[in-house]
Amino acid sequence: MLVVMRAHATEEQVRAVCKKIEDLGYRAHAMPGSERTAIGITGNQGEVEAGTLEEMPGVQELIRVSKPYKLVSRDVKQENTVIRFPGTSATFGGQGLAVVAGPCAIESREQALIVAEQVCRAGAQFFRGGAYKPRTSPYSFQGLGEEGLQIMAEIRETFGMKIVTEAIDNESLALVEEYADVIQIGARNMQNFSLLKRAGRSKKPVLLKRGMSATLEEFLMAAEYVMSEGNYNVILCERGVRTFADHTRNTLDLSVVPAVQRLSHLPIVVDPSHGTGKRNKVTPLSRAAIAVGADGLMVEVHHQPDRALSDGMQSLYPEQFDELMTQVRQIAGVLGRTVPAIGARVAAAPGTATRSEIASPAAH
Ligand code: PEP
Ligand code: MN
């Protein structure tokens, strides 16, 4: 059920309706829009007793939401959700595209800083890197854990990029939310409902990757789990699904982008690295992702992909990422969207660490 407030309803009236909903034993989710506020009601098993709510001051109408996902739905909020980050112009869902780039995993301080400088220079506003890696084999590199998070915090300080990193369980989520700007929930955890609920109680935005075999509805329901706990800053990420095609690691389902945008107000970005698993396909699919209307990209970049501890095959060389950004910028322009130019911090601060300085931290 959805309570639509009148255009000029006061904050007090919105608060009173929320209180009434909570008194009835449900949960109220006020979603302010540019024209009016809508209040989603969750926690009800059957029909909500509408009578008392309908009569309250400031209420325009009550609408039944027929879809299984509610807070995620455009029925609840018509305009796109824009996720902002204090101190930067970077957004997810705004007119500017979000570019998240970095290695699959944080392997060392030196590796992370070298890649960070490169992707920042190319225009990425978000730095990615796994400190906790969900690996198919228990014998593969599992990530540096908290040390990896500390390295990323240093990268935020040095380059001004915001940090996106994955939490694989409730324990790592507690640390990730302390250090990171965006909490990534990986494909393998898209239906880890206790983790989704825990992420929903966090104050940090959540980047939710589509499960390898998830339908659109399952994907949106996973986002609903996060939102139902009160965290409305969810970014969806298409990263490919399993099909019979074996020329790529996964099949990047770009048609999900307009499909999501029709049903949901949440931003959606595309990860062509995991989506294809092959370096030579990352740039073409990045172009396609922006052309289809994605709100941004997540791309794996490594300065020595052949030495990477994970996902080297799909990691771009920094020079390839530069080229990707140049191409994507042109496509974005056609759609009236923008991609940031040279990373502000790198360009503005002549004293910023250079590659050689990073390579020999002991010299400082
Ligand atoms: C990743 O982003 O490094 C990752 C593990 O992605 P996914 O969950 O999509 O496999
Ligand atoms: Mn990876």
Side-chain angles (χ1 to χ4, degrees):
M1 186 72 83
L2 181 65
V3 182
V4 180
M5 301 298 290
R6 288 186 196 284
H8 300 294
T10 64
E11 268 181 41
E12 235 168 46
Q13 289 171 335
V14 172
R15 262 200 304 275
V17 173
C18 288
K19 180 165 186 316
K20 183 77 201 169
I21 293 167
E22 307 265 337
D23 288 349
L24 289 167
Y26 311 125
R27 186 153 183 185
H29 305 264
M31 312 281 252
S34 59
E35 310 228 313
R36 54 163 179 69
T37 293
I39 305 169
I41 305 177
T42 61
N44 53 309
Q45 297 303 330
E47 284 285 310
V48 172
E49 186 44 68
T52 39
L53 289 170
E54 226 158 17
E55 300 309 320
M56 289 185 74
V59 172
Q60 182 169 318
E61 57 176 337
L62 266 69
I63 300 176
R64 257 201 80 212
V65 181
S66 51
K67 302 197 184 71
Y69 43 86
K70 304 188 188 305
L71 305 175
V72 161
S73 167
R74 279 216 191 264
D75 294 346
V76 171
K77 184 166 180 257
Q78 274 152 25
E79 58 266 71
N80 293 340
T81 286
V82 181
I83 301 176
R84 298 177 197 281
F85 297 83
T88 76
S89 57
T91 65
F92 284 93
Q95 185 257 349
L97 297 173
V99 180
V100 186
C104 179
I106 302 299
E107 300 167 3
S108 68
R109 178 178 178 275
E110 180 186 334
Q111 169 249 18
L113 271 93
I114 289 173
V115 178
E117 192 210 348
Q118 297 277 348
V119 298
C120 184
R121 198 176 284 285
Q125 322 98 315
F126 297 90
F127 182 73
R128 63 146 290 147
Y132 300 91
K133 295 306 301 176
R135 304 303 301 279
T136 304
S137 165
Y139 309 118
S140 300
F141 177 58
Q142 304 283 311
L144 295 180
E146 189 169 3
E147 187 191 341
L149 298 176
Q150 286 163 350
I151 292 169
M152 282 185 278
E154 182 184 343
I155 285 171
R156 176 177 42 225
E157 279 305 303
T158 308
F159 298 104
M161 285 184 289
K162 299 291 174 187
I163 303 302
V164 182
T165 192
E166 179 168 353
I168 54 172
D169 49 27
N170 288 2
E171 204 182 338
S172 54
L173 197 144
L175 279 167
V176 164
E177 72 182 343
E178 215 180 284
Y179 286 94
D181 301 289
V182 177
I183 303 164
Q184 179 174 325
I185 303 287
R188 290 155 193 80
N189 273 316
M190 193 208 80
Q191 286 191 317
N192 180 340
F193 300 119
S194 70
L195 185 61
L196 294 174
K197 285 195 203 169
R198 173 63 184 80
R201 292 193 288 276
S202 178
K203 297 268 174 288
K204 297 278 169 78
V206 173
L207 184 143
L208 177 66
K209 293 190 126 190
R210 181 180 180 187
M212 291 179 205
S213 63
T215 62
L216 172 55
E217 186 168 307
E218 287 164 343
F219 192 17
L220 295 176
M221 288 308 286
E224 185 79 16
Y225 259 94
V226 178
M227 295 183 77
S228 70
E229 294 291 326
N231 187 348
Y232 306 133
N233 290 326
V234 180
I235 303 137
L236 300 168
C237 178
E238 161 61 27
R239 48 79 71 203
V241 290
R242 281 271 166 88
T243 68
F244 53 79
D246 59 2
H247 63 287
T248 48
R249 179 179 175 184
N250 293 292
T251 297
L252 192 65
D253 177 14
L254 290 180
S255 70
V256 85
V257 172
V260 160
Q261 288 168 339
R262 201 179 156 91
L263 298 172
S264 175
H265 53 87
L266 293 176
I268 178 164
V269 301
V270 169
D271 168 356
S273 305
H274 294 87
T276 65
K278 298 204 171 149
R279 185 178 308 130
N280 66 21
K281 298 189 173 46
V282 171
T283 300
L285 270 298
S286 297
R287 294 196 301 259
I290 297 312
V292 87
D295 294 302
L297 294 170
M298 173 178 267
V299 180
E300 287 186 344
V301 180
H302 199 294
H303 68 304
Q304 294 174 321
D306 46 338
R307 295 221 197 148
L309 297 182
S310 60
D311 287 348
M313 299 273 282
Q314 66 194 34
S315 300
L316 294 185
Y317 287 91
E319 303 71 42
Q320 292 178 307
F321 182 65
D322 289 346
E323 179 58 22
L324 178 154
M325 290 293 278
T326 304
Q327 296 185 11
V328 155
R329 200 168 282 126
Q330 294 175 47
I331 294 173
V334 174
L335 298 167
R337 302 190 79 167
T338 53
V339 177
I342 310 291
R345 202 60 97 82
V346 173
T352 303
T354 64
R355 244 205 240 223
S356 54
E357 284 165 351
I358 293 161
S360 52
H364 291 267

